[in-house]
Amino acid sequence: MAVCASVKPDFSKTINTTCAYCGVGCGITASVSDPDLHLVEIKGREDHPANYGRLCSKGSALGETVSLEGRLLHPKIHGKTVVWPEALDEVTRRLQETIQKYGPDAVAFYGSGQLLTEDYYVANKLMKGFIGSANMDTNSRLCMASTVAGQKRAFGSDTVPNTYQDLEMANLLILVGSNTAWCHPVLFQRIRAMKEQRPEMKVVVIDPRKTDTCDIADLHLPIRPGTDALLFNGLLSWLAEQGTIDLPYIEKHTNDFGQSLEVARASFRDYSQLSELCGLDQETVLQFFHWFSTTEKTVTAWSQGVNQSSSGTDKVNGIINCHLATGRIGLPGSGPLSLTGQPNAMGGREVGGLANQLAAHMDFLPEDIDRVGRFWGTTNMARSPGKTAVDLFRAIDRGAIRFLWVMGTNPVVSMPDGNSIIKALKKCPTVVVSDCIEKTDTTALADIVLPAAPWSEKDGTVTNSERRISRQRALFPLAGGSKPDWWILTQVAKRLGYSDAFDFASSADIFREHAALSGFENNTAGKIRDFNIGTKASISDNEYESMDPFQWPVIEDKSQQRLFSAGGFYTDDRRAKFVPTHWQKAANSINAEYPLLLNTGRVRDHWHTMTRTGLSPRLNQHTDEPFLAIHPEDAGSVQLQDQMLCKVSSEFGDAIVRVKHSEAQRVGEVFMPMHWTRQNSQSGFCGVLVNPVVDPVSKQPDLKHTPVKLEPFYHTGNGVLFSREQLSFTDVEYVTEVRSEHGFRYELAGSGLDKLSVLSDFNKRFEKIEYVDAQSDFQSDFQFDGCRVLWLDQYQVQAIWMSGEGRSACDRQWLQSCFGKSVTALEAWYFLSGTPPKGEDAGRQVCACFGVGENTICRTIRENSISDVSVIGEILKAGTNCGSCIPEIRQLLLNIN
Ligand code: SF4
């Protein structure tokens, strides 16, 4: 049962690998000092072309997230630990029985952009080549399916024409629906550095919110959600009017320009109406149009604000149309560039991870099915596309899919209409989940859980947003009974009777086959496929082990950096296609009952459902609670003060979150982060609110456009509990757990706080010091307006409880620090004040790399009359490592000066 690795990793040396998080795909140099204790120092890899040594706050903190805490280390069936053969037999038995009784389309795999390409390849091969169904979709459907669909419509293939270098070479950079500063931070650092070097470089940000990305913007277009396609229709019309289209390029390399221009022109009356529909001021719109039409070196980069939309595919094509019309594509500093969300969403696309793809960028055309079938040596190929994410879970709900295998993702949290996903999974006769974390909202509903190897233990390849394939290498041996996903899948495939086709001994074996398929009958009979790494099909194990990052396609051993500047698209006639984009309003509009629009997204220091970033104390400090950002004008109309708790409701569910007044929000629109789950918050997750509307072409859900209503969350008590131990609360309506360096913090509100058994338990176990505000209105032992309790054991603070006024006023960062030292009873009294001595009130963390708080920065600015971010860096180091906090420091400077 051992996993064969052809080349044995050496865990005692410096290892080059790739970051676990976003699609930037930064190279990392990891120095393992103790493989048994999982001690590793993480640095940016100096020679990796994605980051050249840089890392963001998340990447820098990876070393804090590799402990075995919370890991799933052994297979379990209905909660009972079993050995691997038993688990694999049971998965196989259930899979076989379901197929025999209900047919192959009654089973489904749901994968993830966290899987390595080799894992993805095996999963896709098993489902589409041997089980004979195409029900293999992935959480990448939630991430970039609209870009895939848009690129395929325009280029005939899912090809990203440009590279990261072009972001730096552009004279005009347009960032659409992308908070690059937080979601692709290293690219943002590269852009910022270039803009500092070349101040004449212009940056336009098109985003409903004034995000940190606007820190480098020359122009911000706070666009009305859902109108991006209209804006780019306007731009196409403007370009034609101004005579700045590239007619020779259009005529030589494209089709359907005239029709697209006609549709674009027909979608608005004049630029005044267009601006009004987009919620923008006309002068700003025309300034943007003017810059685009007069700047040869223009890059348009986009992300989830474009993709996660009921018109996401049209938005993508609207952008691409403007680049095709100007011939600005695949040139140094010119072209469209999709910024992928997940670390290996691109790798998944390469092997057919989406239900409407086959493998190696092939579709369900008869010749593709035949070709892949012959290559795999199977006659049981899936013949048509399978169910895409939203439809897949609906099919489970109605009993059409009866066996689901989820790999490395948490759909209960990330899918829209989360309550319906829970309902579906509860009905599904078999739910198998492969994950490295034991307790997630999805494993809670699994019949069988399988321990998959996480980042730092698995080994294979990933592809970033610029088509660059990099090795992700193991830093430590596999922990407990963990196994790579590809191994788990091959074991099941062999049990199903497909031993020959799944006889892989290592990830290198799989990579070779994947590479061979990409080159198989590629460029024959006049048909060329874009994805081609066929020359890598015969690399040795040692070559795979030492493989340096490279971009696909590789033609005659040479990576192609940019594509399409001289045409050569992957359509039948090798010409690109302009796609007419008939603009329509977003699918779900606000109404009298739900008058506000909910947008969702990420925060700076967290990733997805926090299973990894949640383990790092410093990454938990910048944004410590789930929140709802709302314009003060809207907040006033529903009596929501800053920092109050509010109940958010949509047609689909409810959540309770902290209110954050923000002038960065457009009036009428609110924002919630996507990261919190039932594992760290009782009611602060947004997936239950989000509508399941999908884009008609890409089937990507519109996660950024749900009508909601708000009301204050009325509660009888609230408090904050700091504890050395991790605790759980079942009967409190609002609970959020925040990890700190020496323990945990719980923000609590609702009924039942006066009866918290954990507080009584502390009373029994520890020495108690209590402060009661004489003015307070006594209600019970622990809940009155000003109760503060501290529990000590052997000079060590064990827990602190503050309710009412004390909760609001206490300095959380300072109180968390008291758990790291011995204190006298007298000092303990001081902690009960909740307020640190002058100079020690660091305040909310701004710089995660050096743990520098807001108050410290503000004091330093005032005391030294500082007006420049770099001086803050010289004095406090803040902003000098990953740079993610620079926009915030700049804002503090502006507020003070
Ligand atoms: Fe990782 Fe940050 Fe680089 Fe993304 S930008 S790959 S999260 S280090």
Side-chain angles (χ1 to χ4, degrees):
M1 297 293 283
V3 179
C4 296
S6 320
V7 178
K8 279 253 177 275
D10 178 355
F11 295 112
S12 62
K13 63 176 185 184
T14 298
I15 297 166
N16 283 329
T17 184
T18 315
C19 178
Y21 300 119
C22 82
V24 179
C26 294
I28 279 175
T29 299
S31 305
V32 180
S33 53
D34 190 328
D36 297 327
L37 293 176
H38 280 210
L39 295 180
V40 60
E41 192 192 343
I42 300 289
K43 283 195 178 137
R45 184 177 164 186
E46 297 288 340
D47 62 346
H48 196 289
N51 55 317
Y52 295 108
R54 298 174 174 92
L55 289 179
C56 75
S57 53
K58 295 183 285 282
S60 309
L62 268 168
E64 295 169 32
T65 68
V66 292
S67 74
L68 296 188
E69 189 186 334
R71 281 282 299 277
L72 175 65
L73 292 172
H74 300 283
K76 292 187 180 184
I77 301 175
H78 291 137
K80 184 175 157 264
T81 301
V82 296
V83 292
W84 267 109
E86 192 179 339
L88 295 166
D89 287 347
E90 183 63 9
V91 172
T92 311
R93 184 185 67 76
R94 288 176 180 236
L95 197 46
Q96 270 170 330
E97 271 182 21
T98 312
I99 295 167
Q100 274 160 14
K101 258 189 171 169
Y102 302 98
D105 287 333
V107 303
F109 292 171
Y110 187 67
S112 153
Q114 276 71 46
L115 294 175
L116 301 181
T117 303
E118 290 76 359
D119 302 322
Y120 249 131
Y121 179 85
V122 175
N124 191 56
K125 179 178 178 183
L126 176 58
M127 180 55 84
K128 293 178 188 160
F130 291 81
I131 289 175
S133 167
N135 286 341
M136 156 100 209
D137 213 41
T138 153
N139 64 4
S140 298
R141 180 73 56 190
L142 316 181
C143 171
M144 32 38 67
S146 296
T147 289
V148 175
Q151 291 183 158
K152 284 175 89 163
R153 288 202 303 192
F155 309 146
S157 60
D158 175 21
T159 316
V160 174
N162 284 73
T163 75
Y164 294 163
Q165 241 186 27
D166 299 322
L167 296 167
E168 297 168 321
M169 296 172 85
N171 290 330
L172 173 64
L173 172 61
I174 303 150
L175 298 166
V176 195
S178 165
N179 184 5
T180 321
W182 284 13
C183 303
H184 297 93
V186 162
L187 290 184
F188 186 74
Q189 289 173 44
R190 287 179 62 168
I191 298 164
R192 179 198 289 285
M194 189 47 72
K195 189 155 166 56
E196 278 166 9
Q197 218 174 302
R198 291 195 296 119
E200 69 279 9
M201 171 189 186
K202 293 206 164 39
V203 176
V204 176
V205 174
I206 302 174
D207 195 312
R209 297 187 300 144
K210 186 166 188 268
T211 63
D212 273 14
T213 302
C214 294
D215 190 46
I216 57 164
D218 296 279
L219 198 64
H220 172 217
L221 277 66
I223 194 167
R224 176 171 290 134
T227 60
D228 313 53
L230 178 64
L231 181 72
F232 281 90
N233 274 353
L235 176 59
L236 188 66
S237 308
W238 176 270
L239 295 170
E241 271 170 41
Q242 301 297 308
T244 45
I245 53 171
D246 184 343
L247 265 182
Y249 185 93
I250 293 171
E251 276 166 15
K252 196 166 172 203
H253 300 301
T254 71
N255 289 323
D256 299 337
F257 172 66
Q259 194 196 346
S260 292
L261 180 61
E262 215 174 284
V263 168
R265 280 178 169 154
S267 60
F268 64 100
R269 195 178 56 238
D270 54 34
Y271 293 109
S272 158
Q273 190 219 16
L274 176 127
S275 306
E276 201 185 314
L277 288 169
C278 293
L280 298 168
D281 141 64
Q282 187 178 336
E283 206 181 315
T284 312
V285 170
L286 295 185
Q287 177 69 79
F288 161 54
F289 286 0
H290 173 70
W291 282 351
F292 193 108
S293 88
T294 55
T295 313
E296 202 54 47
K297 285 190 167 187
T298 295
V299 168
T300 308
W302 69 91
S303 202
Q304 312 315 348
V306 166
N307 294 329
Q308 292 173 341
S309 162
S310 59
S311 58
T313 311
D314 275 353
K315 290 182 185 181
V316 171
N317 286 114
I319 293 168
I320 292 173
N321 282 347
C322 294
H323 278 274
L324 288 173
T326 47
R328 294 180 196 152
I329 187 161
L331 290 163
S334 260
L337 179 60
S338 140
L339 302 178
T340 305
Q342 303 196 67
N344 196 31
M346 284 280 272
R349 287 144 77 168
E350 289 156 16
V351 299
L354 294 162
N356 51 324
Q357 306 174 319
L358 208 42
H361 279 203
M362 283 181 268
D363 294 317
F364 283 92
L365 298 170
E367 61 267 30
D368 288 346
I369 297 169
D370 170 65
R371 183 181 303 113
V372 177
R374 281 186 287 111
F375 181 85
W376 281 343
T378 177
T379 52
N380 203 27
M381 288 291 296
R383 303 264 141 204
S384 54
K387 296 254 179 306
T388 54
V390 170
D391 281 351
L392 189 151
F393 284 93
R394 282 185 181 146
I396 294 171
D397 186 55
R398 59 173 189 273
I401 290 176
R402 305 177 62 84
F403 175 106
L404 174 70
W405 189 343
V406 178
M407 298 166 208
T409 183
N410 199 348
V412 168
V413 184
S414 52
M415 284 290 291
D417 191 9
N419 288 331
S420 74
I421 305 298
I422 294 176
K423 186 168 145 256
L425 291 185
K426 281 183 176 168
K427 279 188 189 173
C428 188
T430 299
V431 177
V432 180
V433 179
S434 315
D435 208 306
C436 54
I437 298 294
E438 177 154 24
K439 288 186 184 163
T440 74
D441 293 10
T442 303
T443 57
L445 298 166
D447 299 283
I448 301 171
V449 288
L450 304 172
W455 181 89
S456 80
E457 291 172 30
K458 60 183 175 182
D459 191 88
T461 56
V462 289
T463 308
N464 72 3
S465 300
E466 58 167 358
R467 292 178 274 109
R468 193 175 300 281
I469 297 175
S470 297
R471 287 279 279 111
Q472 199 177 94
R473 295 181 173 91
L475 311 181
F476 312 116
L478 293 164
S482 306
K483 301 285 183 196
D485 284 281
W486 65 261
W487 181 89
I488 302 170
L489 284 153
T490 52
Q491 296 304 309
V492 171
K494 286 176 183 176
R495 280 167 168 76
L496 287 167
Y498 311 126
S499 292
D500 290 348
F502 290 87
D503 191 21
F504 300 117
S506 67
S507 49
D509 275 355
I510 302 166
F511 181 84
R512 281 187 283 265
E513 184 178 303
H514 160 55
L517 177 56
S518 77
F520 182 61
E521 296 179 1
N522 199 345
N523 199 8
T524 52
K527 242 337 224 174
I528 303 181
R529 303 191 303 273
D530 64 337
F531 180 70
N532 192 344
I533 55 168
T535 55
K536 306 274 180 190
S538 52
I539 61 171
S540 67
D541 288 348
N542 280 327
E543 284 167 332
Y544 178 75
E545 178 48 34
S546 59
M547 196 161 76
D548 272 330
F550 68 94
Q551 279 178 293
W552 66 260
V554 182
I555 310 291
E556 291 167 4
D557 260 348
K558 210 169 169 293
S559 272
Q560 308 292 298
Q561 204 183 0
R562 297 182 181 86
L563 296 152
F564 306 149
S565 60
F569 295 91
Y570 294 96
T571 50
D572 288 343
D573 59 4
R574 306 301 308 268
R575 294 163 78 93
K577 189 175 178 335
F578 279 90
V579 180
T581 51
H582 300 269
W583 177 71
Q584 287 174 346
K585 283 189 178 158
N588 270 347
S589 305
I590 53 168
N591 52 51
E593 190 178 358
Y594 299 106
L596 294 164
L597 204 56
L598 174 70
N599 183 0
T600 63
R602 299 187 200 156
V603 299
R604 193 189 77 186
D605 290 347
H606 278 307
W607 180 255
H608 281 14
T609 57
M610 287 164 61
T611 48
R612 186 172 288 281
T613 53
L615 295 172
S616 161
R618 64 176 154 140
L619 292 182
N620 278 278
Q621 306 309 317
H622 180 255
T623 309
D624 52 5
E625 272 188 278
F627 65 88
L628 177 110
I630 180 169
H631 194 280
E633 205 176 305
D634 288 325
S637 67
V638 275
Q639 287 81 49
L640 288 173
Q641 288 163 19
D642 194 37
Q643 295 305 311
M644 265 175 85
L645 286 172
C646 81
K647 183 174 168 196
V648 193
S649 309
S650 75
E651 199 187 314
F652 308 95
D654 305 315
I656 301 169
V657 283
R658 189 79 55 197
V659 172
K660 216 181 201 179
H661 287 188
S662 167
E663 305 242 351
Q665 288 295 130
R666 281 167 52 98
V667 172
E669 294 164 21
V670 294
F671 173 85
M672 267 178 78
M674 57 169 280
H675 310 284
W676 278 266
T677 73
R678 287 164 186 79
Q679 307 307 312
N680 44 35
S681 179
Q682 195 90 328
S683 49
F685 22 88
C686 63
V688 292
L689 298 165
V690 174
N691 61 191
V693 167
V694 298
D695 175 276
V697 184
S698 68
K699 307 292 180 194
Q700 177 155 0
D702 188 341
L703 304 183
K704 296 190 175 290
H705 206 281
T706 305
V708 293
K709 65 179 173 189
L710 309 176
E711 59 187 299
F713 171 60
Y714 296 106
H715 50 81
T716 53
N718 62 27
V720 57
L721 178 63
F722 302 82
S723 164
R724 223 170 251 285
E725 304 160 16
Q726 191 164 23
L727 306 167
S728 68
F729 303 86
T730 43
D731 297 328
V732 183
E733 284 99 324
Y734 178 79
V735 183
T736 291
E737 178 185 282
V738 186
R739 182 179 292 255
S740 61
E741 203 181 340
H742 305 287
F744 300 86
R745 164 157 59 93
Y746 296 91
E747 301 286 346
L748 304 154
S751 52
L753 291 195
D754 52 339
K755 297 185 192 67
L756 281 180
S757 57
V758 62
L759 304 185
S760 312
D761 181 49
F762 287 151
N763 276 349
K764 287 181 205 147
R765 292 161 58 203
F766 309 122
E767 187 188 341
K768 173 179 164 187
I769 299 174
E770 187 174 13
Y771 168 82
V772 180
D773 183 349
Q775 305 296 316
S776 69
D777 174 20
F778 180 85
Q779 290 171 10
S780 77
D781 273 358
F782 295 109
Q783 184 57 49
F784 40 81
D785 197 19
C787 170
R788 299 160 192 226
V789 189
L790 182 145
W791 289 271
L792 271 177
D793 186 22
Q794 306 284 330
Y795 305 107
Q796 298 285 321
V797 178
Q798 299 301 318
I800 303 175
W801 165 245
M802 301 219 170
S803 68
E805 221 6 75
R807 189 213 76 85
S808 333
C810 72
D811 186 315
R812 285 156 171 73
Q813 304 285 330
W814 178 65
L815 284 174
Q816 280 167 193
S817 72
C818 80
F819 285 78
K821 53 192 170 197
S822 296
V823 297
T824 63
L826 195 64
E827 285 169 321
W829 273 105
Y830 199 38
F831 280 119
L832 275 187
S833 73
T835 314
K838 200 166 180 289
E840 284 186 35
D841 55 334
R844 186 185 61 85
Q845 188 182 87
V846 173
C847 171
C849 297
F850 298 107
V852 187
E854 183 175 336
N855 294 346
T856 308
I857 295 171
C858 290
R859 244 191 328 269
T860 309
I861 294 171
R862 288 197 187 93
E863 286 168 6
N864 300 280
S865 307
I866 296 170
S867 57
D868 195 316
V869 175
S870 63
V871 183
I872 296 284
E874 281 164 26
I875 300 175
L876 299 173
K877 288 173 101 176
T880 57
N881 185 36
C882 78
S884 301
C885 60
I886 288 177
E888 254 180 281
I889 299 176
R890 201 187 302 281
Q891 191 56 50
L892 294 174
L893 278 164
L894 279 175
N895 295 348
I896 292 171
N897 291 317

